[in-house]
Amino acid sequence: QVQLVESGGGLVQPGGSLRLSCVASGRTLSNYSMAWFRQAPGKEREFVIGISWSSARRGANTGAADSVRGRFTISRDNAKNTVSLQMNNLKPEDTAVYYCAVDLQSPYEPIPRRQEFEYAVWGQGTQVTVSS
């Protein structure tokens, strides 16, 4: 059983930074794309940023939603089986519950998928609130 646990959420002022962490257990996920989604109050869950599989010989590819491109960075540490989300220059519009997910359906997918239904396993979510 694959389990994902997010952490690092909290309250931050506009323009601030926050780093989220997603720790995976039960299976090594280096061969699968992983992604962060978010769901703001009253809105549907949306893709934020994703990262493809990687190895010691192959670097990962990443893709981000237009709303966060240039501000958010995703990375993974295969040795620790973790994925991180560095969020800079946060805006009130970034306020949401952030979820970590893994695409177990497509090992070795070169480009991280952006559709919610592609991801089979999700974390419990961590709240990020950007407010003055």
Side-chain angles (χ1 to χ4, degrees), residues 22-87:
C22 174
V23 179
S25 62
R27 184 177 183 179
T28 298
L29 301 182
S30 60
N31 295 337
Y32 303 92
S33 292
M34 299 190 71
W36 290 91
F37 289 77
R38 68 186 181 187
Q39 186 167 27
K43 296 185 178 181
E44 296 184 350
R45 188 154 56 183
E46 65 175 353
F47 172 84
V48 178
I49 192 168
I51 186 167
S52 73
W53 75 283
S54 68
S55 69
R57 298 183 59 183
R58 189 181 298 274
N61 292 320
T62 63
D66 291 341
S67 60
V68 306
R69 190 173 296 116
R71 299 188 297 119
F72 290 12
T73 302
I74 188 172
S75 61
R76 68 192 305 164
D77 186 333
N78 290 338
K80 297 181 179 180
N81 214 24
T82 62
V83 173
S84 297
L85 174 61
Q86 178 65 46
M87 303 183 292

